[in-house]
Amino acid sequence: PGYIVATNLVRAGRFGWISIGLIILAGQMLGAITGYSIGKFGYATAKIHHYKSFIKTHETLQKWYQKCGDKIIFFARIVGYVRPWSSLVAGLAGANFIVFLRYTFWGTIIHIILSLIATHYLIEIWVKYAGSHLIIFILVLMSRFGGLLYTIIREKNKSAH
């Protein structure tokens, strides 16, 4: 919904593309830094060493982030399903904060640009093909959740055999 509102504000002439992008960037960076801080300094981090089942997972995360944390951070900011949790996990894994900021910034910039472009064109299609709203809605839903649904069905079929 945020990108729809942002795109409509630009279309109405209330903001330019760059200014609306910077507003979104500020919000997403603030959220990412908050998530990172919760992961790094929050209650779960303080208590994680008391649970043996989490110690191995925590050690694995730390190794992944030491080895390729910059790539994980960058691509996690672009992928919608993992973006909300990626900052928390980066903090929990002890990712370097400056590296986290750098790759979060660039990944978020790409995500914002792609999302604003996609939303702009989806609104154009929505207005142009007003009689086909149900079909457009189903196609957008499938594009957003089709991969997830396919994975769930595939896993159920594997377990059935």
Short mmCIF file of all heavy atoms in Angstrom, two decimals, residues 64-107:
data_model
loop_
_atom_site.label_atom_id
_atom_site.label_comp_id
_atom_site.label_asym_id
_atom_site.label_seq_id
_atom_site.Cartn_x
_atom_site.Cartn_y
_atom_site.Cartn_z
N TRP A 64 28.24 -17.54 8.21
CA TRP A 64 27.72 -17.08 6.92
C TRP A 64 27.98 -15.59 6.74
O TRP A 64 28.41 -15.16 5.68
CB TRP A 64 26.22 -17.32 6.82
CG TRP A 64 25.82 -18.72 6.53
CD1 TRP A 64 26.61 -19.78 6.21
CD2 TRP A 64 24.48 -19.22 6.53
NE1 TRP A 64 25.85 -20.90 6.03
CE2 TRP A 64 24.53 -20.58 6.21
CE3 TRP A 64 23.24 -18.65 6.78
CZ2 TRP A 64 23.41 -21.38 6.13
CZ3 TRP A 64 22.11 -19.45 6.70
CH2 TRP A 64 22.20 -20.79 6.37
N TYR A 65 27.70 -14.81 7.78
CA TYR A 65 27.87 -13.36 7.67
C TYR A 65 29.34 -12.96 7.62
O TYR A 65 29.68 -11.95 7.01
CB TYR A 65 27.12 -12.63 8.78
CG TYR A 65 25.67 -12.41 8.39
CD1 TYR A 65 24.72 -13.41 8.56
CD2 TYR A 65 25.26 -11.21 7.84
CE1 TYR A 65 23.40 -13.21 8.18
CE2 TYR A 65 23.95 -11.00 7.46
CZ TYR A 65 23.03 -12.01 7.64
OH TYR A 65 21.72 -11.82 7.25
N GLN A 66 30.23 -13.73 8.23
CA GLN A 66 31.66 -13.44 8.12
C GLN A 66 32.14 -13.74 6.71
O GLN A 66 32.96 -13.01 6.16
CB GLN A 66 32.45 -14.26 9.14
CG GLN A 66 32.32 -13.76 10.56
CD GLN A 66 32.96 -14.71 11.56
OE1 GLN A 66 33.50 -15.74 11.21
NE2 GLN A 66 32.87 -14.34 12.83
N LYS A 67 31.60 -14.82 6.13
CA LYS A 67 32.06 -15.25 4.81
C LYS A 67 31.45 -14.40 3.68
O LYS A 67 32.17 -13.96 2.79
CB LYS A 67 31.69 -16.72 4.60
CG LYS A 67 32.17 -17.29 3.29
CD LYS A 67 31.84 -18.76 3.19
CE LYS A 67 32.29 -19.32 1.86
NZ LYS A 67 31.91 -20.72 1.71
N CYS A 68 30.15 -14.18 3.72
CA CYS A 68 29.50 -13.47 2.60
C CYS A 68 28.37 -12.57 3.09
O CYS A 68 27.33 -12.47 2.42
CB CYS A 68 29.02 -14.45 1.56
SG CYS A 68 27.99 -15.78 2.18
N GLY A 69 28.57 -11.92 4.21
CA GLY A 69 27.54 -11.06 4.79
C GLY A 69 27.12 -9.92 3.90
O GLY A 69 25.95 -9.56 3.83
N ASP A 70 28.07 -9.33 3.15
CA ASP A 70 27.73 -8.22 2.27
C ASP A 70 26.72 -8.64 1.21
O ASP A 70 25.74 -7.94 0.96
CB ASP A 70 28.98 -7.61 1.63
CG ASP A 70 29.88 -8.63 0.94
OD1 ASP A 70 29.65 -9.86 1.09
OD2 ASP A 70 30.82 -8.19 0.25
N LYS A 71 26.91 -9.81 0.61
CA LYS A 71 25.99 -10.30 -0.40
C LYS A 71 24.63 -10.65 0.22
O LYS A 71 23.58 -10.36 -0.37
CB LYS A 71 26.58 -11.52 -1.10
CG LYS A 71 27.80 -11.22 -1.94
CD LYS A 71 28.44 -12.50 -2.45
CE LYS A 71 29.82 -12.27 -2.99
NZ LYS A 71 30.81 -11.96 -1.99
N ILE A 72 24.65 -11.27 1.38
CA ILE A 72 23.40 -11.63 2.07
C ILE A 72 22.60 -10.36 2.36
O ILE A 72 21.39 -10.30 2.08
CB ILE A 72 23.67 -12.41 3.37
CG1 ILE A 72 24.30 -13.77 3.07
CG2 ILE A 72 22.39 -12.59 4.18
CD1 ILE A 72 24.83 -14.49 4.30
N ILE A 73 23.24 -9.37 2.91
CA ILE A 73 22.57 -8.12 3.26
C ILE A 73 22.00 -7.44 2.01
O ILE A 73 20.84 -7.03 1.98
CB ILE A 73 23.52 -7.17 4.02
CG1 ILE A 73 23.88 -7.77 5.38
CG2 ILE A 73 22.92 -5.78 4.17
CD1 ILE A 73 25.07 -7.13 6.07
N PHE A 74 22.81 -7.34 0.97
CA PHE A 74 22.39 -6.67 -0.26
C PHE A 74 21.17 -7.34 -0.88
O PHE A 74 20.16 -6.70 -1.15
CB PHE A 74 23.56 -6.64 -1.26
CG PHE A 74 23.21 -6.00 -2.56
CD1 PHE A 74 23.15 -4.62 -2.66
CD2 PHE A 74 22.96 -6.77 -3.68
CE1 PHE A 74 22.83 -4.01 -3.88
CE2 PHE A 74 22.63 -6.18 -4.89
CZ PHE A 74 22.57 -4.80 -4.99
N PHE A 75 21.26 -8.66 -1.12
CA PHE A 75 20.17 -9.35 -1.80
C PHE A 75 18.93 -9.50 -0.92
O PHE A 75 17.81 -9.51 -1.42
CB PHE A 75 20.64 -10.70 -2.35
CG PHE A 75 21.54 -10.53 -3.54
CD1 PHE A 75 22.88 -10.81 -3.45
CD2 PHE A 75 21.05 -10.04 -4.74
CE1 PHE A 75 23.72 -10.63 -4.54
CE2 PHE A 75 21.88 -9.85 -5.84
CZ PHE A 75 23.22 -10.15 -5.74
N ALA A 76 19.12 -9.57 0.38
CA ALA A 76 17.97 -9.67 1.29
C ALA A 76 17.14 -8.39 1.24
O ALA A 76 15.93 -8.43 1.46
CB ALA A 76 18.44 -9.95 2.71
N ARG A 77 17.75 -7.26 0.96
CA ARG A 77 17.01 -6.00 0.87
C ARG A 77 16.16 -5.93 -0.39
O ARG A 77 15.23 -5.16 -0.48
CB ARG A 77 17.96 -4.80 0.90
CG ARG A 77 18.70 -4.63 2.19
CD ARG A 77 17.83 -4.58 3.40
NE ARG A 77 16.86 -3.47 3.37
CZ ARG A 77 15.87 -3.34 4.23
NH1 ARG A 77 15.68 -4.21 5.19
NH2 ARG A 77 15.04 -2.33 4.13
N ILE A 78 16.48 -6.72 -1.39
CA ILE A 78 15.75 -6.70 -2.65
C ILE A 78 14.59 -7.70 -2.63
O ILE A 78 13.54 -7.45 -3.23
CB ILE A 78 16.71 -6.98 -3.83
CG1 ILE A 78 17.77 -5.88 -3.90
CG2 ILE A 78 15.96 -7.08 -5.15
CD1 ILE A 78 18.88 -6.13 -4.88
N VAL A 79 14.74 -8.81 -1.92
CA VAL A 79 13.73 -9.86 -1.89
C VAL A 79 12.66 -9.53 -0.85
O VAL A 79 12.97 -9.42 0.34
CB VAL A 79 14.37 -11.23 -1.60
CG1 VAL A 79 13.31 -12.32 -1.54
CG2 VAL A 79 15.44 -11.56 -2.63
N GLY A 80 11.44 -9.38 -1.30
CA GLY A 80 10.36 -8.94 -0.42
C GLY A 80 10.07 -9.82 0.77
O GLY A 80 9.81 -9.33 1.86
N TYR A 81 10.11 -11.12 0.60
CA TYR A 81 9.71 -12.02 1.68
C TYR A 81 10.68 -11.99 2.86
O TYR A 81 10.27 -12.16 4.00
CB TYR A 81 9.60 -13.47 1.18
CG TYR A 81 8.56 -13.63 0.10
CD1 TYR A 81 8.92 -13.98 -1.19
CD2 TYR A 81 7.22 -13.41 0.37
CE1 TYR A 81 7.97 -14.12 -2.19
CE2 TYR A 81 6.26 -13.55 -0.62
CZ TYR A 81 6.64 -13.90 -1.90
OH TYR A 81 5.69 -14.03 -2.87
N VAL A 82 11.94 -11.79 2.60
CA VAL A 82 12.93 -11.84 3.68
C VAL A 82 13.36 -10.46 4.18
O VAL A 82 13.95 -10.35 5.25
CB VAL A 82 14.19 -12.65 3.26
CG1 VAL A 82 13.83 -14.07 2.94
CG2 VAL A 82 14.90 -11.99 2.10
N ARG A 83 13.04 -9.41 3.42
CA ARG A 83 13.49 -8.06 3.78
C ARG A 83 13.12 -7.66 5.20
O ARG A 83 13.97 -7.13 5.93
CB ARG A 83 12.98 -7.04 2.76
CG ARG A 83 13.56 -5.68 2.95
CD ARG A 83 13.11 -4.66 1.90
NE ARG A 83 11.68 -4.57 1.79
CZ ARG A 83 10.94 -5.13 0.82
NH1 ARG A 83 11.53 -5.81 -0.13
NH2 ARG A 83 9.65 -5.01 0.80
N PRO A 84 11.88 -7.87 5.66
CA PRO A 84 11.55 -7.42 7.02
C PRO A 84 12.38 -8.07 8.12
O PRO A 84 12.60 -7.47 9.17
CB PRO A 84 10.08 -7.80 7.17
CG PRO A 84 9.57 -7.92 5.78
CD PRO A 84 10.72 -8.41 4.96
N TRP A 85 12.85 -9.28 7.89
CA TRP A 85 13.59 -10.01 8.93
C TRP A 85 15.10 -9.95 8.74
O TRP A 85 15.86 -10.28 9.65
CB TRP A 85 13.14 -11.47 8.95
CG TRP A 85 11.69 -11.57 9.24
CD1 TRP A 85 10.69 -11.83 8.34
CD2 TRP A 85 11.05 -11.37 10.49
NE1 TRP A 85 9.48 -11.80 8.97
CE2 TRP A 85 9.66 -11.52 10.29
CE3 TRP A 85 11.51 -11.06 11.77
CZ2 TRP A 85 8.75 -11.38 11.32
CZ3 TRP A 85 10.59 -10.93 12.79
CH2 TRP A 85 9.23 -11.09 12.57
N SER A 86 15.54 -9.53 7.56
CA SER A 86 16.97 -9.60 7.25
C SER A 86 17.83 -8.74 8.17
O SER A 86 18.94 -9.14 8.52
CB SER A 86 17.21 -9.22 5.79
OG SER A 86 16.82 -7.87 5.56
N SER A 87 17.33 -7.60 8.57
CA SER A 87 18.11 -6.72 9.44
C SER A 87 18.27 -7.32 10.83
O SER A 87 19.35 -7.26 11.42
CB SER A 87 17.44 -5.35 9.53
OG SER A 87 17.34 -4.77 8.25
N LEU A 88 17.21 -7.90 11.33
CA LEU A 88 17.25 -8.54 12.65
C LEU A 88 18.27 -9.69 12.64
O LEU A 88 19.09 -9.81 13.55
CB LEU A 88 15.87 -9.05 13.04
CG LEU A 88 15.82 -9.67 14.42
CD1 LEU A 88 14.85 -8.89 15.30
CD2 LEU A 88 15.38 -11.11 14.33
N VAL A 89 18.24 -10.48 11.58
CA VAL A 89 19.17 -11.61 11.47
C VAL A 89 20.60 -11.11 11.33
O VAL A 89 21.52 -11.67 11.93
CB VAL A 89 18.77 -12.53 10.29
CG1 VAL A 89 19.82 -13.60 10.06
CG2 VAL A 89 17.41 -13.16 10.54
N ALA A 90 20.81 -10.04 10.57
CA ALA A 90 22.16 -9.48 10.42
C ALA A 90 22.70 -9.02 11.78
O ALA A 90 23.86 -9.24 12.10
CB ALA A 90 22.15 -8.32 9.43
N GLY A 91 21.85 -8.39 12.58
CA GLY A 91 22.27 -7.97 13.92
C GLY A 91 22.56 -9.16 14.81
O GLY A 91 23.56 -9.20 15.53
N LEU A 92 21.69 -10.15 14.74
CA LEU A 92 21.86 -11.37 15.53
C LEU A 92 23.16 -12.09 15.15
O LEU A 92 23.87 -12.60 16.01
CB LEU A 92 20.66 -12.29 15.33
CG LEU A 92 20.55 -13.51 16.22
CD1 LEU A 92 20.41 -13.11 17.68
CD2 LEU A 92 19.36 -14.36 15.80
N ALA A 93 23.48 -12.05 13.86
CA ALA A 93 24.71 -12.72 13.38
C ALA A 93 25.96 -11.89 13.67
O ALA A 93 27.07 -12.37 13.44
CB ALA A 93 24.59 -12.98 11.89
N GLY A 94 25.78 -10.67 14.14
CA GLY A 94 26.93 -9.83 14.45
C GLY A 94 27.60 -9.22 13.24
O GLY A 94 28.80 -8.97 13.24
N ALA A 95 26.81 -8.99 12.18
CA ALA A 95 27.37 -8.37 10.97
C ALA A 95 27.96 -7.00 11.32
O ALA A 95 27.43 -6.29 12.17
CB ALA A 95 26.29 -8.21 9.91
N ASN A 96 29.05 -6.66 10.67
CA ASN A 96 29.68 -5.36 10.85
C ASN A 96 28.67 -4.27 10.51
O ASN A 96 28.06 -4.29 9.44
CB ASN A 96 30.92 -5.26 9.96
CG ASN A 96 31.59 -3.91 10.05
OD1 ASN A 96 31.09 -2.92 9.54
ND2 ASN A 96 32.75 -3.91 10.69
N PHE A 97 28.50 -3.28 11.40
CA PHE A 97 27.46 -2.28 11.22
C PHE A 97 27.68 -1.41 9.98
O PHE A 97 26.73 -1.11 9.26
CB PHE A 97 27.34 -1.39 12.47
CG PHE A 97 26.21 -0.41 12.40
CD1 PHE A 97 24.89 -0.86 12.41
CD2 PHE A 97 26.46 0.94 12.31
CE1 PHE A 97 23.83 0.04 12.33
CE2 PHE A 97 25.41 1.85 12.23
CZ PHE A 97 24.09 1.40 12.25
N ILE A 98 28.91 -1.02 9.71
CA ILE A 98 29.19 -0.18 8.54
C ILE A 98 28.90 -0.96 7.25
O ILE A 98 28.29 -0.42 6.32
CB ILE A 98 30.65 0.34 8.55
CG1 ILE A 98 30.91 1.18 9.82
CG2 ILE A 98 30.97 1.12 7.29
CD1 ILE A 98 30.01 2.40 9.98
N VAL A 99 29.31 -2.21 7.20
CA VAL A 99 29.00 -3.06 6.04
C VAL A 99 27.50 -3.22 5.91
O VAL A 99 26.93 -3.12 4.81
CB VAL A 99 29.70 -4.44 6.18
CG1 VAL A 99 29.24 -5.41 5.11
CG2 VAL A 99 31.22 -4.27 6.13
N PHE A 100 26.83 -3.45 7.03
CA PHE A 100 25.37 -3.57 7.04
C PHE A 100 24.73 -2.31 6.45
O PHE A 100 23.86 -2.40 5.59
CB PHE A 100 24.87 -3.81 8.47
CG PHE A 100 23.38 -3.68 8.61
CD1 PHE A 100 22.54 -4.70 8.21
CD2 PHE A 100 22.83 -2.52 9.12
CE1 PHE A 100 21.17 -4.57 8.31
CE2 PHE A 100 21.45 -2.38 9.24
CZ PHE A 100 20.62 -3.41 8.83
N LEU A 101 25.15 -1.15 6.91
CA LEU A 101 24.57 0.11 6.41
C LEU A 101 24.80 0.28 4.91
O LEU A 101 23.89 0.65 4.17
CB LEU A 101 25.17 1.31 7.14
CG LEU A 101 24.60 1.66 8.50
CD1 LEU A 101 25.32 2.88 9.08
CD2 LEU A 101 23.11 1.92 8.43
N ARG A 102 26.04 0.03 4.49
CA ARG A 102 26.39 0.22 3.08
C ARG A 102 25.54 -0.66 2.17
O ARG A 102 24.92 -0.17 1.22
CB ARG A 102 27.87 -0.08 2.86
CG ARG A 102 28.32 0.14 1.42
CD ARG A 102 29.79 -0.22 1.18
NE ARG A 102 30.66 0.33 2.20
CZ ARG A 102 31.53 -0.41 2.92
NH1 ARG A 102 31.63 -1.69 2.71
NH2 ARG A 102 32.28 0.16 3.83
N TYR A 103 25.48 -1.95 2.46
CA TYR A 103 24.76 -2.86 1.57
C TYR A 103 23.25 -2.78 1.75
O TYR A 103 22.50 -3.02 0.80
CB TYR A 103 25.29 -4.29 1.75
CG TYR A 103 26.65 -4.42 1.11
CD1 TYR A 103 27.81 -4.31 1.86
CD2 TYR A 103 26.77 -4.59 -0.26
CE1 TYR A 103 29.05 -4.38 1.27
CE2 TYR A 103 28.01 -4.66 -0.86
CZ TYR A 103 29.15 -4.55 -0.09
OH TYR A 103 30.38 -4.62 -0.69
N THR A 104 22.80 -2.40 2.93
CA THR A 104 21.37 -2.15 3.13
C THR A 104 20.95 -0.94 2.30
O THR A 104 19.90 -0.96 1.65
CB THR A 104 21.06 -1.91 4.62
OG1 THR A 104 21.33 -3.12 5.34
CG2 THR A 104 19.62 -1.52 4.85
N PHE A 105 21.76 0.10 2.32
CA PHE A 105 21.46 1.31 1.56
C PHE A 105 21.32 1.00 0.07
O PHE A 105 20.31 1.34 -0.55
CB PHE A 105 22.57 2.36 1.79
CG PHE A 105 22.40 3.61 0.98
CD1 PHE A 105 21.54 4.61 1.41
CD2 PHE A 105 23.09 3.78 -0.21
CE1 PHE A 105 21.38 5.77 0.67
CE2 PHE A 105 22.94 4.94 -0.96
CZ PHE A 105 22.08 5.93 -0.52
N TRP A 106 22.32 0.35 -0.52
CA TRP A 106 22.27 0.09 -1.96
C TRP A 106 21.19 -0.91 -2.34
O TRP A 106 20.51 -0.76 -3.36
CB TRP A 106 23.65 -0.34 -2.49
CG TRP A 106 24.60 0.81 -2.46
CD1 TRP A 106 25.71 0.95 -1.66
CD2 TRP A 106 24.51 2.02 -3.22
NE1 TRP A 106 26.30 2.18 -1.88
CE2 TRP A 106 25.59 2.86 -2.84
CE3 TRP A 106 23.62 2.49 -4.18
CZ2 TRP A 106 25.80 4.10 -3.39
CZ3 TRP A 106 23.84 3.76 -4.74
CH2 TRP A 106 24.92 4.54 -4.33
N GLY A 107 21.01 -1.94 -1.53
CA GLY A 107 19.93 -2.90 -1.80
C GLY A 107 18.57 -2.24 -1.70
O GLY A 107 17.66 -2.52 -2.50
#
